[in-house]
């Protein structure tokens, strides 16, 4: 019998933001407790107060450098309501959608190829020095090259719609500030076939990995939960930009459906725990124990009725067939779901590029001012909620943000515990490879910890090992 | 009016009696950096960014009359360093958050920093003043965090609008622009005033409400070229 230990994984690597994991081992080296701690604090919800409403989409996108478009658009959607606009001019809505599809695909591509692929291609236990994009480029140069150019395509779409690849200014309350010139459209159309072919190949890679490692995937941090996402109001299709809220249980039965997202706070409650800056939301009617839920690509596959683009819909059918149409609970399947969404985004981008509304000149609508606005969007990592109140002087008086990673907080903590119990319990020696299993579980959610705490800083990972008395015994830290 | 010539950085510049160095330079297509000077407003000589040297002395080019045979130094490394320091101090004195400011791309302070190769404001301590946003007026807001005390709004309001809405308060480093009243809502400011026009305030301090970020990136004033390029292009004709 050895002394109880505390393992600390800090910093977490290949995720966006800064977090750490602590694992408490008892005297028999069994995992007592395992937690994901989010140690950043930023306070956007507080300091946005007093700012002017049209500044908000530009300010809050600074929460993140990976998916600023999601925050930009969620805030803009909330401000649309505040300026009294329920329906944007077609050009404005389609330009925003184009921006969003470009954003989702580039973020998913970044995560799959740059962050997750090293684990998939080389194994969770591969030497740490091999688990990075440079080794992908070395061993699979064509795959690495495609990763870079697929991502570039998405970023070029963002630049064409927002003015900059990162932190642009496209969406304004009630509309958009530009349309898409014909020559820009044609340049994208010239590249779209190749992008879609590459997305199909990436999808095949993710699918084949999942199916070929079915045993690992089913047993790796796989547990039932509730799921939530936007679905298209009319028919329950996947809609990343707009819709109403649907939550389903582990059995696929709806908990709530077609909920106008302005009423999110009637269904969702945010719990606070002393050891993390990230809140723990849950579905009010189910309570904190049973009401936690997950969001993100796999959650969306589980909640929607279908996908309205043919290739992605066929791919979803294949994914859902694994669980005979019931929600898939295996977090590693997120990679497959993510690649389905990349394909979906490219299909939607192609559709939009053929739509002459993108060259329209009616860019902004106005209406009667309101005091309150809620904007919800499906960000790459899942559902994203922005809620504001604005006074008669145009100044923000209230802000509440629930970001994707926050929705997934309980799920990530359960995944950490599950993997820690399975892969660390009973071992005297804790290896780096074992700890990477914990990271792989977190990474499957593609968490953005900076966004989740609306926080500032880097994204290192720390794992701490505590003894039975709570004293720190061992820790492993990786710098960002 | 009789004409004469003087030189700026060794180049002959024609001038008329009564013209300032800057007026003659502008007409000849020679750009002298400036922040507080603005076409149509009386010269102030306050910001000192237009400092030039002649006969061993420093002058503000916007107020100093040109004289026959004067040999003016303008674009020298030494003078541009002084200008860069002045601009840098302006950044440190206020709260200039370009990434979230609606004036970004149209802001003369930002544009001047680019022209003077001020890549990062790191030389001086940030004063980080605490200044409240005045959004009381239905059509105008005033964010003095971004004010550089150039006084252009003061001169425009006094001399052109004949209103005197803006004025200086305080002394020394605490001197700042304020409104004549409890807040903007308690003045007779109107969005149609010349002092409120997007031309007068060089930064993002005077805000016309509900138009921010409507101009796409790429079409903003200084997306087209460095500040002063329009004057310099006159010289290329």
């Amino acid at each position: 019998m050895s002394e109880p230990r505390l393992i600390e994984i800090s910093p977490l690597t290949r995720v966006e933001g800064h977090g750490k994991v602590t694992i408490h081992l008892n005297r028999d080296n069994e995992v007592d407790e395992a937690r994901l701690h989010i140690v950043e604090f930023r306070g956007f919800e507080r300091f946005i107060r007093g700012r002017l409403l049209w500044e908000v989409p530009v300010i809050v996108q600074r929460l993140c450098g990976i998916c600023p478009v999601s925050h930009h658009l969620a805030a803009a959607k909330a401000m649309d309501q505040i300026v009294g606009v329920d329906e944007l001019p077609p050009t404005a809505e389609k330009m925003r959608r184009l921006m969003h599809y470009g954003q989702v695909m580039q973020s998913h591509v970044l995560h799959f190829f740059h962050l997750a692929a090293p684990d998939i291609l080389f194994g969770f236990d591969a030497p740490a020095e091999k688990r990075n994009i440079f080794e992908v480029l070395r061993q699979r140069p064509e795959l690495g090259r495609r990763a870079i150019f697929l991502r570039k395509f998405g970023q070029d779409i963002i630049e064409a719609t927002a003015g900059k690849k990162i932190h642009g200014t496209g969406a304004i309350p009630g509309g958009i500030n530009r349309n898409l010139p014909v020559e820009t459209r044609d340049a994208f159309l010239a590249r779209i076939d190749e992008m879609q072919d590459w997305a199909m190949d990436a999808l095949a890679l993710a699918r084949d990995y999942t199916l070929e490692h079915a045993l690992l995937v089913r047993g790796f941090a796989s547990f039932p939960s509730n799921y939530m996402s936007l679905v298209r109001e009319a028919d329950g299709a996947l809609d990343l930009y707009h819709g109403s809220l649907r939550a389903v249980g582990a059995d696929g039965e709806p908990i709530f459906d077609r909920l106008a997202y302005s009423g999110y706070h009637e269904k969702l409650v945010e719990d606070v725990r002393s050891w993390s800056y990230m809140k723990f939301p849950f579905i009010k009617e189910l309570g904190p124990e049973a009401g936690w839920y997950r969001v993100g690509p796999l959650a969306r596959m589980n909640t929607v009725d279908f996908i309205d683009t043919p290739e992605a819909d066929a791919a979803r059918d294949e994914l859902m067939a694994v669980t005979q149409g019931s929600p898939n609970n295996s977090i590693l399947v997120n990679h497959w779901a993510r690649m389905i969404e990349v394909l979906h985004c490219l299909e939607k981008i192609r559709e939009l590029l053929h739509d002459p509304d993108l060259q329209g000149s009616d860019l902004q609508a106005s209406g009667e001012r309101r005091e309150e606005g809620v904007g919800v969007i499906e960000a790459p990592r899942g559902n994203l909620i922005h809620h504001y109140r604005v006074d008669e002087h145009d100044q923000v008086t209230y802000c509440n943000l629930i970001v994707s990673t926050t929705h997934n907080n309980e799920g990530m903590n359960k995944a950490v515990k599950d993997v820690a119990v399975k892969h660390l319990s009973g071992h005297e020696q804790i290896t780096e490879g074992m700890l990477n299993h914990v990271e792989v579980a977190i990474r499957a959610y593609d968490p953005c910890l900076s966004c989740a705490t609306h926080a500032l800083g880097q994204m290192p990972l720390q794992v701490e090992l505590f003894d039975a008395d709570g004293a720190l015994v061992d820790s492993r830290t990786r710098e960002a | 009016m009789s004409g004469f010539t003087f030189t700026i950085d060794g180049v002959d510049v024609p001038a008329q009696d009564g013209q300032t160095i800057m007026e003659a330079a502008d007409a000849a297509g020679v750009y002298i950096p400036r922040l507080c000077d603005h076409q149509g407003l009386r010269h102030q000589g306050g910001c000192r960014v237009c400092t030039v040297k002649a006969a061993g002395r420093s002058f503000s080019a916007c107020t100093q009359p040109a004289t026959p045979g004067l040999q003016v130094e303008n674009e020298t490394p030494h003078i541009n360093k002084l200008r860069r320091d002045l601009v840098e101090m302006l950044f440190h004195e206020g709260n200039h958050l370009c990434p979230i400011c609606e004036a970004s791309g149209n802001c003369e302070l930002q544009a001047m920093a680019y022209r003077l190769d001020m890549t990062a404001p790191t030389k001086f301590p940030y004063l980080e003043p605490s200044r409240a946003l005045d959004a009381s007026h239905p059509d105008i807001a005033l964010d003095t965090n971004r004010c550089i005390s150039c006084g252009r709004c003061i001169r425009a309001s006094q001399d052109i609008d004949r209103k005197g809405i803006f004025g200086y308060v305080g002394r020394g480093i605490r001197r700042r622009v304020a409104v004549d009243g409890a807040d903007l809502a308690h003045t007779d400011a109107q969005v149609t005033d010349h002092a409120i026009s997007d031309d007068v305030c060089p930064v993002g301090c005077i805000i016309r409400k509900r138009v921010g970020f409507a101009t796409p990136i790429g079409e903003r004033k200084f997306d087209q070229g460095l500040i002063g390029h329009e004057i310099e292009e006159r010289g290329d004709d």
Side-chain angles (χ1 to χ4, degrees), chain A residues 50-52 54-55 58-59 62 162-164 168-169 172 177-178 393-395, chain B residues 99-100 102 133 135-136 138 141 143 146 207 209-210 212-217:
Chain A
R51 295 312 310 180
L52 300 161
W54 53 91
E55 295 180 327
V58 176
I59 295 177
R62 294 274 164 177
K164 283 167 70 186
T169 64
I172 50 179
N177 68 12
R178 64 172 69 223
H393 300 306
D394 301 318
Q395 290 179 285
Chain B
I100 57 165
E102 65 184 79
L133 175 74
S136 58
D143 188 349
R146 302 165 181 168
I207 298 165
K209 284 188 170 182
R210 297 173 289 280
F213 304 106
T215 306
I217 293 170

Side-chain angles (χ1 to χ4, degrees), chain A residues 17 65 71 90 92 100 102 105 135 160 204 211 301 311 322 326 353 402 440 454:
Chain A
H71 292 290
H100 191 46
M105 70 150 285
E135 190 64 16
L211 297 177
M301 297 300 119
E311 300 284 0
V322 172
S326 297
L353 291 174
I402 308 180
V440 168
H454 327 316

